[in-house]
């Protein structure tokens, strides 16, 4: 019997996240965003969030294969986007963020032109 193709077989379907953080594949290491941000922030005070792709393992940065953009959310609240030009900018972004209340975890999502969407989240507390 012929095996059916499903979304689970297609990296371009949905949003990819690592299956096992203790045993990341090279593909996952190249694509999962890394979020650097405080664990706790004060309400209505700006803080810095840095997001990097390829920190765990370098991702190609050439016209045929590159990171197109990084989006940052807090919960489902959109905070911003950084877009990149193949070979001329690196997939790292610094966002200055100010939150008045809890929305949920910080979520960084990136888009590779060949390997689709990848996302990670980081809890954040607002005092
Ligand atoms: Fe890629």
């Amino acid at each position: 019997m012929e095996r059916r193709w499903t979304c689970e077989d297609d990296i371009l379907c949905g949003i990819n996240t690592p299956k096992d953080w203790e045993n990341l594949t090279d593909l996952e290491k190249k694509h999962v965003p890394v979020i650097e941000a405080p664990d706790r922030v004060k309400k209505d005070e700006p803080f810095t969030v840095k997001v990097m792709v390829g920190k765990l393992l370098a991702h190609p940065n050439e016209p045929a294969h590159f990171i197109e953009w990084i989006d940052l959310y807090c919960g489902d609240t959109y905070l911003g986007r950084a877009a990149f030009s193949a070979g001329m900018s690196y997939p790292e972004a610094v966002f200055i963020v100010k939150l008045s209340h809890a929305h949920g975890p910080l979520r960084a999502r990136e888009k590779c032109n060949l390997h689709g969407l990848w996302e990670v989240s980081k809890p954040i507390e607002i005092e």
Side-chain angles (χ1 to χ4, degrees):
M1 183 173 174
E2 185 176 324
R3 183 170 176 271
R4 291 185 57 200
W5 188 256
T6 69
C7 277
E8 290 179 15
D9 301 311
D10 190 345
I11 200 167
L12 297 178
C13 288
I15 299 168
N16 297 292
T17 56
K19 305 290 182 269
D20 177 1
W21 280 100
E22 301 301 318
N23 295 293
L24 294 175
T25 65
D26 284 354
L27 184 73
E28 291 169 336
K29 288 177 186 172
K30 287 179 186 176
H31 290 91
V32 292
V34 172
I35 301 173
E36 288 182 0
D39 294 330
R40 183 175 296 125
V41 297
K42 293 193 183 310
K43 174 182 179 232
D44 292 328
E45 286 192 12
F47 61 97
T48 300
V49 179
K50 185 173 183 182
V51 182
M52 299 150 283
V53 177
K55 183 172 184 180
L56 303 176
L57 186 63
H59 186 277
N61 189 5
E62 56 196 29
H65 188 190
F66 70 106
I67 304 302
E68 296 177 337
W69 48 258
I70 296 171
D71 278 354
L72 182 67
Y73 295 81
C74 190
D76 290 327
T77 302
Y78 175 75
L79 299 176
R81 168 174 284 190
F84 307 102
S85 181
M88 292 186 280
S89 58
Y90 288 88
E92 297 188 5
V94 174
F95 300 90
I96 310 300
V97 177
K98 183 180 79 169
L99 299 172
S100 61
H101 59 277
H103 298 258
L106 291 171
R107 294 171 39 234
R109 182 180 298 172
E110 65 94 345
K111 169 80 169 35
C112 168
N113 70 319
L114 289 185
H115 299 109
L117 297 169
W118 293 77
E119 183 177 292
V120 296
S121 63
K122 178 188 187 306
I124 190 163
E125 278 184 39
I126 299 172
E127 299 177 335

